[in-house]
């Protein structure tokens, strides 16, 4: 058996599996945008819970506003070290 050892490759394979499961179990599911897809798949990856396809809701303008805010220097607050570890500090 071949084991993937590189973290980025493991993550990429996990996202491929998530996409395959969505395509198989929810063939009519449509993400509102590529950004919505990336966020929802990240939540599913983190929780292993596909119910997020139905329960995660976004305010109409939240993603453009969030993107605009994060494109500038800012301070981010998080209540978990896991969330903090996922933030790319150099970007």
């Amino acid at each position: 058996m071949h084991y993937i050892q590189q973290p980025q490759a493991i993550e990429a394979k996990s996202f491929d599996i998530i996409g395959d499961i969505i395509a198989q179990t929810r063939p009519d599911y449509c993400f509102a945008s590529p950004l919505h897809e990336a966020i929802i798949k990240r939540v599913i990856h983190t929780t292993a819970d596909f119910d997020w396809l139905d329960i995660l809701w976004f305010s109409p303008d939240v993603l453009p506003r969030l993107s605009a805010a994060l494109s500038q220097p800012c301070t981010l607050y998080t209540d978990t070290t896991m969330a903090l570890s996922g933030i790319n500090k150099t970007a």
Side-chain angles (χ1 to χ4, degrees), residues 41-83:
K41 284 183 175 179
R42 172 67 57 186
V43 172
I44 292 170
H45 177 263
T46 303
T47 63
D49 185 352
F50 284 82
D51 287 344
W52 287 106
L53 289 167
D54 299 311
I55 61 176
L56 188 55
W57 180 84
F58 299 89
S59 297
D61 63 342
V62 71
L63 295 182
R65 291 178 65 191
L66 180 60
S67 294
L70 293 176
S71 69
Q72 305 173 44
C74 62
T75 301
L76 296 176
Y77 297 93
T78 176
D79 62 349
T80 65
T81 54
M82 183 64 164

